[in-house]
Amino acid sequence: MLDALSERLQNTFRRLGSSGRIGEQELDEALREVRIALLEADVNFKVVRDFIARVREKGLGQEVLTSITPGQQVISIVHDELVRTLGGEDAPLLKPDSGPIKILIVGTKGSGKTTLAGRLALRLKNEGHRPLLVSTDFERVAASEQLQVLAKSIDVPCYVEAKEAPAVDVAKRALAEAKKQNVTAIIVDTVGAVALDDDTADGLAALADEVDPTEVLIVVDAMSGQEAVTIAKEFHEAIEGTGIVVTKVDSDSRGGAVLSVREVTGLPIKLITTGERLEALEDFHPERFASRVLGMGDVVTLVEKAKASLGSRSVEDMTKRMRSGQFDLEDFLGQMEQVKSMGPLGGLLDMLPGASGIKKQLGGVEFNDGFFSQSEAIVRSMTLQERRNPEILNGSRRRRIARGSGTTPQDVNRLLNQFKDARKLMQAMTSGKGAGGIMRMLGM
Ligand code: GDP
Ligand code: MG
């Protein structure tokens, strides 16, 4: 997602970066491009209008700092205003003062509610809670079955009723059951609405009254664009949501929903989901997401993902080695398996600064498991000394390694070059101070 928007913005800023001074005219020219880029990404036009106005005002009002170029200054204003558009602060899930956490999930059909219920149950369980999943969806027989299957796969109890009954009644009995089972988190899945008519709105309001939730999450499908944002607003007006969850952020939607939904609904985005696997649930961080949009990458999320799958000691180690440029092919090999377990590589790459540029540079090389097994085979054909210090590999060794790994000398050379680039990138990423460091690295 967001590749097109990211790329356009980067192009615009690259042009700015080369000019010595930015006057009103240059600023307006740049902002015109930013506006087009946002509109093409399907961002709500009012959100775009306000955004551009804020950036312009700040841009004109600001003294030009001597330490950075005017281009960098504009980027930093755009970044800050993007963060603001996305909600500014992180908005964690609410915790009740006493009693169980109660989460009510609402949204349109097919937006990912039932899957989200499963994801939340899994997360809460991993945090030490005893969750109970509740289905109030009778529209299809398969609806409650789907939740039951999910519940079973993560070994969490699930409350469903075989006979159709009003959602309010089901919820009442589910809450009683929750008390008996001494659960600490209740997650209520609801029937999806295509549009929010009065009946549906009343039904949901009654359900919310009964459940008295700590959190009403309105699910927005990133793939349905502005339409989903409008419906989210209607849901909020009907039952007062507490937060937004944007699903399918992994899809190649243009990003308009994520960038608009906070301003249009006034509700914070709390979570995003980025894949079909239950684990693909992320806390939403406006700051990091803005960096992702601007192609500065999302190094923090990347490091957190790595932490989750590597254990923090090896991450610290690795980061230290990356920073000092000591990361060698032996480390590379050691991490390969674990990197594979971090999820689809395309997604990981999107979090890196300038990812679209990197992807292009890599040209024909597919960053998939095939790429990994080939790389692994090549590294395994080297001696330990060579892995520690790839610079010593001469032409004849490279040919032997190619033969040993069933690849060609070109493959070996390409891997070594990529590794060299990656090591540079890692060093810059880990030693830079936040966005500033990353921008410096990108030469912006
Ligand atoms: P509901 O009708 O709102 O309950 O939606 P479901 O939870 O049944 O999900 C509808 C479809 O969207 C299913 O095929 C899910 O696997 C898929 N889905 C949900 N979340 C995501 C996501 O973050 N990424 C992707 N790619 N698919 C998702
Ligand atoms: Mg469902």
Side-chain angles (χ1 to χ4, degrees), residues 108-115 119 146 248 250 273-276:
T108 51
K109 247 185 248 304
S111 57
K113 294 181 301 301
T114 304
T115 320
R119 301 181 202 271
Q146 184 194 353
K248 309 185 195 175
D250 55 311
T273 74
T274 55
E276 299 205 39

Side-chain angles (χ1 to χ4, degrees), residues 115-150:
T115 320
L116 175 67
R119 301 181 202 271
L120 284 168
L122 176 62
R123 170 190 281 210
L124 288 165
K125 183 184 166 200
N126 288 340
E127 287 172 3
H129 276 282
R130 289 185 304 278
L132 174 70
L133 282 162
V134 179
S135 173
T136 61
D137 182 359
F138 288 97
E139 200 159 271
R140 303 167 287 140
V141 191
S144 56
E145 265 171 30
Q146 184 194 353
L147 194 67
Q148 274 178 309
V149 169
L150 279 178

Side-chain angles (χ1 to χ4, degrees), residues 208-391:
D209 278 347
E210 181 62 46
V211 174
D212 187 21
T214 36
E215 190 91 62
V216 177
L217 296 177
I218 300 173
V219 178
V220 171
D221 181 338
M223 273 166 56
S224 20
Q226 288 314 302
E227 195 188 317
V229 174
T230 309
I231 299 175
K233 190 170 175 225
E234 288 170 15
F235 269 101
H236 181 38
E237 281 158 6
I239 64 163
E240 214 180 310
T242 57
I244 301 283
V245 180
V246 185
T247 56
K248 309 185 195 175
V249 174
D250 55 311
S251 67
D252 50 9
S253 69
R254 289 170 291 166
V258 190
L259 288 165
S260 314
V261 72
R262 159 75 211 212
E263 291 234 329
V264 173
T265 63
L267 284 174
I269 303 173
K270 297 208 162 181
L271 301 160
I272 55 176
T273 74
T274 55
E276 299 205 39
R277 290 167 59 242
L278 284 188
E279 289 80 4
L281 175 70
E282 293 175 21
D283 290 324
F284 183 73
H285 304 287
E287 165 88 42
R288 298 188 202 171
F289 201 84
S291 301
R292 236 196 259 189
V293 172
L294 291 181
M296 295 173 184
D298 184 353
V299 179
V300 190
T301 300
L302 189 66
V303 169
E304 264 180 13
K305 274 204 175 184
K307 254 186 190 154
S309 62
L310 299 180
S312 63
R313 239 201 91 216
S314 60
V315 168
E316 254 162 52
D317 250 31
M318 192 165 77
T319 315
K320 219 178 276 164
R321 295 175 69 78
M322 281 182 190
R323 189 181 302 135
S324 55
Q326 282 177 332
F327 193 86
D328 60 24
L329 282 165
E330 179 73 6
D331 296 314
F332 185 57
L333 186 63
Q335 306 304 343
M336 210 118 54
E337 275 306 313
Q338 285 149 318
V339 169
K340 269 194 263 179
S341 73
M342 277 159 63
L345 276 165
L348 277 182
L349 207 59
D350 282 338
M351 293 185 205
L352 286 172
S356 54
I358 298 176
K359 267 192 229 166
K360 223 177 264 156
Q361 257 174 18
L362 292 175
V365 185
E366 279 289 316
F367 250 106
N368 55 21
D369 290 349
F371 165 79
F372 263 111
S373 33
Q374 192 190 57
S375 311
E376 208 171 328
I378 293 173
V379 178
R380 284 196 194 288
S381 302
M382 298 176 188
T383 65
L384 185 61
Q385 203 193 1
E386 287 165 346
R387 290 178 204 169
R388 289 266 150 83
N389 189 10
E391 282 74 24

Side-chain angles (χ1 to χ4, degrees), residues 190-203:
T190 60
V191 61
V194 177
L196 203 57
D197 54 54
D198 288 348
D199 277 356
T200 317
D202 289 349

Side-chain angles (χ1 to χ4, degrees), residues 46-65:
K46 277 194 215 126
V47 174
V48 175
R49 194 183 55 199
D50 291 355
F51 177 82
I52 297 290
R54 293 202 312 262
V55 175
R56 186 167 192 278
E57 191 183 338
K58 266 198 174 174
L60 289 178
Q62 221 169 55
E63 281 173 59
V64 174
L65 303 172

